[in-house]
Amino acid sequence: MLWAVNTIIRKFSSSSAYYQNKLKLALIGQSLFGQEVYTNLRKQGHKVVGVFTVPDKDGKADPLAVVAEKEGTPVFKFPRWRVKGKPIPEVVEAYKAVGAELNVMPFCSQFIPMNVIGFPKHGSIIYHPSVLPRHRGASAINWTLIEGDKKAGFSIFWADDGLDTGPILLQKECPVEPNDTVDTLYNRFLFPEGIKAMVNMAQPAEVIHNWIRGHDKVPGAWVVIDGKVHFLNNSPGSLPAGQPIEVEGASHPGLIAKSGLILFGSDGKALQVKNLQFEDRKMIPASKYFSSDEAASLDLTDDEKKMAEEIRAIWKGILSNVPVIDDTTDFFKSGAASMDVVRLVEEVKQKCGGVQLQNEDVYMATSFQSFIQMFVRRLRGEDQEEELVIDYVTKDVNNMTVKMPYQCFINGNFEDAEDGKTYSTVNPTDGSVICKVSYASVADVDRAVSAAKEAFDNGPWGKMNPRDRGRLLYRLADLMEEHQEELATIETIDSGAVYTLALKTHVGMSIQTFRYFAGWCDKIQVCVCVAQRYPSISVCAIVIPWNYPLMMLAWKSAACLAAGNTLVLKPAQVTPLTALKFAELTVKAGIPNGVINIVPGSGGLVGQRMSDHPDIRKLGFTGSTPIGKQIMKSCAVSNLKKVSLELGGKSPLIIFSDCDMDKAVRMGMSSVYFNKGENCIAAGRLFVEESIHDEYIRRVVEEIKKMKTGDPLDRSTDHGPQNHKAHLDKLVEYCELGVKEGATLVYGGRQVDRQGFFMEPTVFTDVEDHMFIAKEESFGPVMVVSKFKDGDVDGVLSRANNTEFGLASGVFTRDINKAMYVSERLEAGTVFVNTYNKTDVAAPFGGFKQSGFGKDLGEEALHEYLRTKAVMVEY
């Protein structure tokens, strides 16, 4: 707004003479806004020849008067300009004596006499906080909200003798969001003096909501609760459980819930109130209405005591009418007004180490002692927020006690699914039930998305300095490292991963991924004048598979969070536990509420709702190609979401006769049996040059016989159980079909005769290109081998590329020219040369063709969670 005032004033001087001929201005107004206008006009070099403002109140000068008097500008504090409708002669004469060439009247209106408005050479300009002619007169921002307008704004116009009817010089508009308040619009357009009005509870919820948000916090809209007057603010939200409370005039009792006070309109619909304020101006979170506000008193360090004295001096400067500021001094009972709240917050931020306070903090700590206690807690990072309550399932396993959350994680809290439904998650080692997990519903997804959107739109995450965001992600990675043994143990019992692999890869690479993207947070570039990379999309959905539960979470969510988005994540239904443990660590790391939400449940219900939800703007998915296609269709039909898909694979591995045989055998086995074959980039088909084929198979079988299949927590185990029973059954069926089609079963092909979901490492040879097992992914420990003729490089390339998938591929040869020739022609997102499964957090990962599109990892992954906006500027 201030730039607009300066722009208008510049029009009164020609460009050639502007810096030589500054205007002589009279400023007629009050409050912090008037102060800011004064300061900016003085910075522009204009001479303010007189300030006309309100008299002192309780011995305290208005902020505009304070700054003007400090600079020696003449200040006039007239209580009124008229008596019985007629201008007061001595007041008008005092005004004319200053010789102003232009009146600037911020928040001033029809109460100034016309012989003052029309006196200067250039007349008078007025700022009005509405899009005129809408809402003329006082409290325009309030009425913008009360009337449910879809747009707000401001106008700058020539003053005339009407009620805000003069010719308009400049206007600016903005949309009014559903949950905008006077405060949020103030941040864009500034606010008028507060008004208060009783809420008529015999109205629909939307009308009540508009009434509450349309009134300032001080004094605000009010209701009678339990026979006492309480002022209300912040009314968005949904309906949780809570303790009933009587509200005068309401058809239904209110509820005091964790999220605040729930009120009901005459239509039965609910709205939520965040804070309550008593008549003495003390404010409390509405959720604390039935709670004691007593807290243990902090002992201050010497440095904190020095800061307390600095704050005492700030209080004394504001409450100049109070002789001594002692511990019991009450900020508001001593005469402080809403403008003083802003001054207190800003002065503390400026003089006390940049500690960030909000206006609400002052209302919730009105005495000097309580304010100091609140400030020190904020300084120490002990904001006295309610400690996270987690109802763990505990198990003594792997020589430790693991503590596992099992509820939905929404808006920083663990809570049951709305309908109370649960399902069993099973240990694949023995088929036993680990615990019951909340089975999220569509309503739970909606609550999670709402929390993520609120966190993005209004929470600290979106406003946070990128370097601070990176610091939180580094802290999260450190906590994951501190808990890596517990995470790896949970991963093992929930997914069947061998513990040593879970520790090194599932958890280890997850930690590396968060550290990598934490480093990117402050390096997302902005290209000035040509294009600007917006570091966020908004609310993102992430749907991950069951083969690498924690690592897939990390690969997608780390990039998403580094880019400044908020997210709702659905873990695989059969492996939810490490994701929920991760959620616990995000709270400890200080990630703000609502930024990360975890909703376990079925893909058909939870995943489908994510695809359809209108407030989700991006969805990242890893899973099967058929489900990926369905997700892509739903995302397009709903709101054309941005989508990235990492889907199925049938990755070819070509082994030439000039390879290092030892390495080719070792890495070839790893390409198939790594993580029990439950590996998206697993070599789904091996092409072995004819002259070495038989030797290669013989040596592979010899090595398989040395592998130990068994308890994945046993450090000597090489091969653990498949993830779940249905998948094991599918693998057995896959092998039976291979035999039926005529492939040679050299080894394995059956379920291991023991408790649990164990599959024998399997080898097929003589696999022809038309066979099912040559075309379709097993996603298990099944090696599918075909021969190719010696020297037929192009022929084997043609066969390798004859697939609809293109996730990964590999080649083993000592001939570097051959390796490069083959790698350039393999149609896959990743090509391994003389190695396999060698991924790196800095290397982009993703597929071609029906293996999907978009990248995880590396800088390219950030682009999946960013928008590019071109801004063309001409100077």
Side-chain angles (χ1 to χ4, degrees):
M1 160 45 207
L2 297 179
W3 66 267
V5 173
N6 289 328
T7 299
I8 295 298
I9 290 176
R10 288 188 183 197
K11 292 181 179 179
F12 298 119
S13 302
S14 67
S15 58
S16 60
Y18 172 66
Y19 288 104
Q20 289 78 31
N21 300 298
K22 298 291 184 177
L23 290 168
K24 295 179 181 178
L25 306 176
L27 194 58
I28 305 174
Q30 65 188 85
S31 79
L32 286 170
F33 175 65
Q35 182 188 79
E36 290 182 31
V37 171
Y38 174 89
T39 301
N40 275 270
L41 292 175
R42 293 287 292 119
K43 285 181 180 178
Q44 291 289 323
H46 297 290
K47 181 175 179 59
V48 179
V49 294
V51 166
F52 298 83
T53 188
V54 295
D56 294 355
K57 182 179 179 181
D58 295 326
K60 294 190 296 135
D62 181 85
L64 172 58
V66 171
V67 68
E69 288 172 339
K70 188 175 181 180
E71 292 193 354
T73 300
V75 176
F76 302 85
K77 302 177 182 180
F78 300 130
R80 61 185 66 85
W81 291 78
R82 306 169 186 258
V83 173
K84 296 183 179 180
K86 295 182 178 181
I88 302 173
E90 55 267 31
V91 171
V92 174
E93 288 306 312
Y95 160 75
K96 290 181 177 180
V98 301
E101 298 172 325
L102 174 73
N103 290 333
V104 178
M105 302 165 66
F107 281 143
C108 201
S109 61
Q110 69 274 21
F111 301 108
I112 308 302
M114 277 306 300
N115 56 347
V116 171
I117 288 175
F119 177 79
K121 173 182 176 183
H122 297 297
S124 301
I125 57 172
I126 297 180
Y127 162 76
H128 187 76
S130 82
V131 183
L132 291 172
R134 185 80 168 152
H135 303 309
R136 293 190 175 108
S139 303
I141 296 182
N142 304 76
W143 286 109
T144 296
L145 294 171
I146 292 168
E147 292 293 317
D149 291 358
K150 300 303 180 185
K151 63 182 181 181
F154 65 78
S155 305
I156 296 177
F157 63 97
W158 290 112
D160 65 5
D161 58 356
L163 177 59
D164 302 331
T165 56
I168 293 172
L169 293 167
L170 181 149
Q171 285 187 323
K172 188 174 181 180
E173 297 179 0
C174 79
V176 177
E177 299 297 331
N179 292 325
D180 259 332
T181 64
V182 170
D183 276 0
T184 59
L185 288 177
Y186 163 75
N187 290 334
R188 286 171 270 175
F189 308 108
L190 306 170
F191 62 85
E193 286 302 311
I195 60 175
K196 66 177 179 179
M198 184 175 183
V199 180
N200 177 6
M201 296 300 296
Q203 301 180 93
E206 184 177 359
V207 176
I208 297 173
H209 168 65
N210 287 338
W211 186 261
I212 294 172
R213 70 193 183 110
H215 288 81
D216 296 315
K217 288 183 181 178
V218 184
W222 59 274
V223 294
V224 176
I225 300 174
D226 273 359
K228 296 180 180 179
V229 172
H230 294 79
F231 296 95
L232 312 176
N233 58 78
N234 294 342
S235 62
S238 57
L239 180 61
Q243 186 172 348
I245 188 169
E246 288 300 320
V247 179
E248 187 175 298
S251 59
H252 190 286
L255 295 173
I256 297 295
K258 283 185 178 180
S259 53
L261 168 64
I262 310 302
L263 297 176
F264 296 90
S266 60
D267 55 359
K269 294 183 178 179
L271 62 148
Q272 176 181 300
V273 175
K274 182 180 176 183
N275 295 322
L276 291 175
Q277 191 171 23
F278 298 91
E279 287 187 280
D280 64 1
R281 306 181 97 169
K282 173 69 180 294
M283 184 184 286
I284 62 168
S287 60
K288 303 288 187 183
Y289 186 81
F290 290 120
S291 304
S292 168
D293 61 356
E294 293 181 4
S297 180
L298 298 176
D299 291 326
L300 274 55
T301 66
D302 290 341
D303 287 340
E304 289 165 349
K305 289 176 181 177
K306 290 179 182 177
M307 285 192 180
E309 290 308 309
E310 289 187 29
I311 294 172
R312 193 186 302 273
I314 295 171
W315 276 53
K316 178 61 180 171
I318 296 171
L319 306 175
S320 56
N321 56 313
V322 177
V324 177
I325 304 296
D326 60 28
D327 287 350
T328 62
T329 300
D330 187 281
F331 194 67
F332 296 106
K333 290 178 181 178
S334 299
S338 58
M339 65 186 72
D340 299 311
V341 173
V342 179
R343 176 180 169 185
L344 176 59
V345 167
E346 293 301 316
E347 280 202 60
V348 169
K349 181 166 61 176
Q350 181 183 49
K351 298 178 181 178
C352 300
V355 173
Q356 298 292 321
L357 300 179
Q358 304 298 322
N359 291 359
E360 288 88 344
D361 294 324
V362 182
Y363 292 109
M364 292 183 184
T366 60
S367 73
F368 182 75
Q369 183 181 35
S370 64
F371 185 88
I372 293 299
Q373 292 282 308
M374 176 275 296
F375 169 82
V376 172
R377 286 192 171 91
R378 186 67 50 83
L379 184 68
R380 295 179 184 180
E382 304 171 5
D383 285 11
Q384 238 196 338
E385 291 190 6
E386 192 170 316
E387 186 177 349
L388 178 66
V389 176
I390 306 176
D391 189 9
Y392 294 107
V393 169
T394 60
K395 283 194 177 295
D396 293 323
V397 61
N398 200 25
N399 298 316
M400 68 180 73
T401 299
V402 295
K403 299 166 68 177
M404 297 172 287
Y406 61 88
Q407 298 166 296
C408 299
F409 182 73
I410 299 174
N411 201 26
N413 293 296
F414 286 99
E415 50 195 63
D416 293 336
E418 188 170 273
D419 57 13
K421 289 185 178 180
T422 63
Y423 70 95
S424 299
T425 186
V426 174
N427 185 340
T429 302
D430 57 12
S432 63
V433 173
I434 302 170
C435 65
K436 295 282 189 179
V437 177
S438 291
Y439 190 77
S441 65
V442 168
D444 296 311
V445 176
D446 290 347
R447 288 191 299 118
V449 173
S450 177
K453 190 172 189 302
E454 175 68 16
F456 180 82
D457 290 343
N458 301 314
W461 187 252
K463 305 177 183 69
M464 192 176 292
N465 181 293
R467 188 167 287 116
D468 292 334
R469 190 162 63 237
R471 178 180 54 80
L472 290 180
L473 294 185
Y474 276 123
R475 173 63 178 149
L476 178 56
D478 290 344
L479 284 166
M480 292 170 70
E481 189 169 54
E482 288 176 25
H483 292 262
Q484 61 183 330
E485 289 85 2
E486 186 178 19
L487 286 167
T489 300
I490 296 171
E491 192 94 334
T492 295
I493 64 174
D494 202 24
S495 76
V498 172
Y499 175 77
T500 51
L501 178 66
L503 189 62
K504 179 180 183 298
T505 301
H506 290 231
V507 178
M509 193 173 189
S510 299
I511 295 166
Q512 293 172 17
T513 302
F514 271 98
R515 285 184 174 145
Y516 173 79
F517 284 108
W520 265 110
C521 286
D522 60 354
K523 299 172 185 67
I524 298 172
Q525 300 299 316
V526 174
C527 183
V528 180
C529 302
V530 179
Q532 182 170 351
R533 172 76 65 186
Y534 272 22
S536 53
I537 290 175
S538 181
V539 180
C540 300
I542 294 174
V543 181
I544 57 173
W546 43 258
N547 58 326
Y548 294 103
L550 186 63
M551 193 170 79
M552 291 297 97
L553 176 154
W555 280 22
K556 294 188 186 298
S557 63
C560 174
L561 294 169
N565 301 291
T566 57
L567 65 88
V568 180
L569 182 141
K570 190 196 89 66
Q573 185 172 344
V574 292
T575 54
L577 296 181
T578 42
L580 294 172
K581 187 67 179 180
F582 167 84
E584 176 191 345
L585 299 181
T586 67
V587 176
K588 292 182 178 180
I591 305 293
N593 290 353
V595 172
I596 296 171
N597 304 274
I598 311 289
V599 281
S602 72
L605 196 66
V606 174
Q608 186 62 50
R609 179 55 179 158
M610 288 178 167
S611 302
D612 295 336
H613 203 292
D615 287 334
I616 292 174
R617 293 295 175 182
K618 157 69 197 259
L619 192 148
F621 172 74
T622 295
S624 72
T625 297
I627 298 300
K629 290 179 178 180
Q630 182 178 336
I631 284 175
M632 190 173 176
K633 180 179 179 181
S634 297
C635 288
V637 170
S638 59
N639 62 344
L640 209 63
K641 293 175 178 65
K642 186 175 183 179
V643 177
S644 56
L645 305 172
E646 195 256 277
L647 306 176
K650 188 66 176 174
S651 302
L653 174 59
I654 303 172
I655 301 175
F656 289 101
S657 58
D658 61 351
C659 68
D660 178 332
M661 181 63 81
D662 290 341
K663 190 173 188 180
V665 169
R666 184 175 72 254
M667 300 304 296
M669 291 181 65
S670 175
S671 74
V672 176
Y673 304 127
F674 188 83
N675 200 47
K676 314 157 297 174
E678 296 168 354
N679 187 18
C680 52
I681 58 172
R685 193 172 180 194
L686 275 67
F687 295 93
V688 182
E689 202 158 9
E690 193 169 31
S691 59
I692 64 166
H693 175 273
D694 293 348
E695 181 189 357
Y696 186 84
I697 297 301
R698 179 183 60 80
R699 292 183 60 173
V700 165
V701 172
E702 286 179 358
E703 293 302 315
I704 289 175
K705 291 177 180 178
K706 299 175 185 176
M707 291 172 63
K708 179 181 177 180
T709 298
D711 182 357
L713 290 171
D714 185 334
R715 306 309 193 260
S716 64
T717 295
D718 300 301
H719 188 69
Q722 305 310 134
N723 187 275
H724 52 281
K725 182 65 164 58
H727 183 53
L728 172 65
D729 294 342
K730 178 183 172 185
L731 288 173
V732 172
E733 183 180 347
Y734 184 93
C735 292
E736 290 171 349
L737 186 56
V739 173
K740 184 177 180 180
E741 286 190 312
T744 301
L745 179 61
V746 177
Y747 193 91
R750 298 178 300 273
Q751 179 177 353
V752 177
D753 185 16
R754 61 165 289 163
Q755 187 181 36
F757 310 144
F758 292 85
M759 178 75 186
E760 292 177 336
T762 300
V763 179
F764 277 102
T765 62
D766 302 317
V767 178
E768 301 297 331
D769 294 355
H770 68 275
M771 293 180 179
F772 179 85
I773 64 173
K775 296 178 179 180
E776 297 298 326
E777 180 181 29
S778 72
F779 214 63
V782 182
M783 183 179 284
V784 176
V785 185
S786 300
K787 295 178 186 178
F788 69 94
K789 292 182 180 180
D790 290 351
D792 187 10
V793 177
D794 289 326
V796 75
L797 271 171
S798 178
R799 295 172 70 190
N801 287 329
N802 186 25
T803 174
E804 276 299 299
F805 301 106
L807 189 57
S809 59
V811 56
F812 278 82
T813 176
R814 285 190 170 96
D815 185 340
I816 189 62
N817 292 322
K818 186 192 298 182
M820 297 310 296
Y821 180 88
V822 171
S823 64
E824 287 173 4
R825 287 161 178 78
L826 283 169
E827 297 171 358
T830 299
V831 181
F832 299 106
V833 178
N834 295 327
T835 187
Y836 210 89
N837 291 321
K838 190 175 180 63
T839 54
D840 189 279
V841 293
F845 180 91
F848 297 165
K849 299 187 283 189
Q850 292 199 47
S851 288
F853 51 83
K855 298 294 182 182
D856 292 325
L857 304 180
E859 181 180 0
E860 284 197 43
L862 287 169
H863 303 325
E864 300 297 330
Y865 297 94
L866 297 169
R867 294 178 295 178
T868 303
K869 180 178 182 180
V871 181
M872 313 308 294
V873 179
E874 182 176 329
Y875 290 100

